[in-house]
């Protein structure tokens, strides 16, 4: 049996993945599968840089606007959904181009997934409440007592990962380190093309330009409208997305002063984490600040998809 006709196009935020994917889709018979943990949420449009309605009309896009911002969407669910979509797209005689910067999704799809319990809103809320009183370093110290292996690789202020590790312990009675390595899904050996900048300053300039564009496009008003729904709060995964978290906090504080700087700094940190993930993965690297980017990637994509079809 031939390998799936699919590949992953990944890179840090603002590296040009979406525009490149559209250029590829104009030249090759592909459908785009979003690999973005924020674009799954309905109503989060400006801050997630979703493809426009026109772009989505020209090229089929999948896994965008599929859940409400009150819900959560996991890497396990992505792996199942993406594997199904690859089969459906291939059956239509087209290739699947998985595009995004959520590296955990790429890892889950390509390498399989560890056995971990689904997230629990009540447990997370309780951990957040404790952190608000005691601070995340205190919870990190608690994690070190029950799961020293996981605590050792986490920064004491890494709220999201400390919360998840404690949640896994409380829900399953097993530590994160004990649970990892026990697979529930087998992986798909998909080629990965990584967009990585030669000059970090190039990416930083793009990040600032992108966040400024979001502010001009109405990001603050978008978050105001989300808050006005009455069913969302700052601890939800959707509202913890970069950009949304900073605007929510600014609206809580009653002042937008410093929002731009905080948003750009948070996006830079996200890009740094994404690049760290990427560099740990088997991949083919293309400089995203290369003037010949489109031609180079288009040639690589054509070669890899042709090889998968043999």
């Amino acid at each position: 049996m031939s390998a799936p006709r699919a590949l992953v196009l990944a890179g840090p935020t603002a590296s040009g993945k979406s525009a490149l994917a559209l250029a590829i889709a104009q030249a090759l018979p592909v459908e785009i599968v979003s690999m973005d943990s924020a674009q799954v949420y309905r109503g989060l449009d400006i801050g997630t840089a979703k493809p426009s309605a026109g772009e989505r009309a020209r090229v089929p896009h999948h896994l965008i606007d599929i859940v409400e911002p009150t819900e959560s969407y996991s890497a396990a669910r992505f792996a199942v959904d993406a594997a199904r979509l690859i089969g459906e797209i291939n059956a239509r005689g087209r290739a699947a181009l998985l595009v995004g910067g959520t590296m955990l999704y790429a890892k889950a799809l390509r390498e399989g997934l560890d056995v971990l319990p689904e997230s629990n809103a009540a447990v997370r809320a309780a951990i957040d409440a404790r952190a608000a009183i005691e601070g995340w370093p205190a919870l990190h110290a608690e994690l070190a007592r029950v799961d020293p292996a996981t605590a050792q690789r986490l920064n004491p202020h890494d709220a999201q990962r400390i919360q998840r590790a404690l949640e896994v312990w409380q829900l399953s009675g097993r530590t994160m380190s004990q649970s990892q390595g026990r697979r529930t899904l087998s992986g798909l050996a998909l080629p990965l093309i990584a967009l990585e900048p030669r000059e970090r300053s190039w990416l930083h300039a793009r990040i600032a330009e992108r966040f400024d564009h979001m502010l001009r496009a109405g990001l603050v008003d978008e978050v105001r409208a989300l808050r006005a729904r009455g069913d969302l709060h700052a601890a939800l995964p959707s509202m913890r997305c970069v950009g949304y978290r900073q605007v929510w906090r600014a609206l809580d504080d009653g002042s937008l002063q410093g929002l731009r700087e905080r948003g750009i700094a948070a996006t830079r940190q996200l890009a740094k984490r994404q690049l760290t993930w990427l560099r740990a993965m088997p991949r083919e690297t293309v400089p995203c600040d290369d003037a010949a980017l489109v031609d180079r990637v288009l040639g690589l994509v054509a070669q890899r998809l042709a090889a998968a079809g043999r």
Side-chain angles (χ1 to χ4, degrees), residues 14-45:
S15 59
K17 300 180 295 295
S18 297
L20 182 57
L22 287 168
I24 293 169
Q26 298 299 314
L28 297 172
V30 304
E31 297 184 23
I32 296 171
V33 178
S34 172
M35 197 177 66
D36 188 304
S37 61
Q39 290 187 356
V40 297
Y41 295 111
R42 302 184 188 103
L44 276 65
D45 301 324

Side-chain angles (χ1 to χ4, degrees), residues 66-145:
I66 58 171
V67 297
E68 287 296 319
T70 51
E71 303 174 66
S72 61
Y73 186 83
S74 66
R77 184 170 168 186
F78 170 82
V80 171
D81 288 346
R84 171 181 53 79
L85 283 164
I86 289 169
E88 293 173 358
I89 292 167
N90 286 177
R92 292 193 284 271
R94 303 171 72 82
L97 185 62
L98 294 101
V99 182
T102 304
M103 305 309 168
L104 180 59
Y105 285 9
K107 182 178 177 67
L109 182 63
R110 297 173 79 221
E111 300 178 19
L113 204 64
D114 296 321
V115 175
L116 293 172
E118 290 290 327
S119 63
N120 182 289
V123 171
R124 289 195 166 198
I127 294 170
D128 281 338
R130 287 187 56 203
I133 298 171
E134 303 172 36
W136 285 108
L139 270 67
H140 181 267
E142 177 179 319
L143 179 64
R145 290 191 291 271

Side-chain angles (χ1 to χ4, degrees), residues 83-234:
R84 171 181 53 79
L85 283 164
I86 289 169
E88 293 173 358
I89 292 167
N90 286 177
R92 292 193 284 271
R94 303 171 72 82
L97 185 62
L98 294 101
V99 182
T102 304
M103 305 309 168
L104 180 59
Y105 285 9
K107 182 178 177 67
L109 182 63
R110 297 173 79 221
E111 300 178 19
L113 204 64
D114 296 321
V115 175
L116 293 172
E118 290 290 327
S119 63
N120 182 289
V123 171
R124 289 195 166 198
I127 294 170
D128 281 338
R130 287 187 56 203
I133 298 171
E134 303 172 36
W136 285 108
L139 270 67
H140 181 267
E142 177 179 319
L143 179 64
R145 290 191 291 271
V146 299
D147 188 1
T150 299
Q152 186 175 18
R153 62 182 177 81
L154 297 183
N155 184 289
H157 296 278
D158 191 341
Q160 186 170 353
R161 289 177 175 83
I162 294 169
Q163 180 199 60
R164 179 56 174 156
L166 288 173
E167 178 190 36
V168 167
W169 167 251
Q170 292 181 27
L171 289 173
S172 68
R174 297 179 61 86
T175 66
M176 182 77 81
S177 53
Q178 288 172 333
S179 298
Q180 288 171 334
R182 301 168 63 231
R183 300 291 175 178
T184 56
L185 294 170
S186 58
L188 297 177
L190 303 181
L192 187 157
I193 297 174
L195 304 183
E196 300 179 27
R198 291 172 297 195
E199 299 292 336
R200 191 67 63 90
S201 59
W202 177 90
L203 186 62
H204 288 175
R206 295 260 303 186
I207 286 170
E209 179 183 347
R210 174 185 164 114
F211 196 74
D212 284 340
H213 172 75
M214 290 176 177
L215 290 174
R216 291 193 299 270
L219 176 60
V220 174
D221 286 339
E222 182 174 76
V223 178
R224 281 197 182 104
L226 289 165
R227 286 164 63 97
R229 288 171 43 139
D231 59 348
L232 302 178
H233 54 83

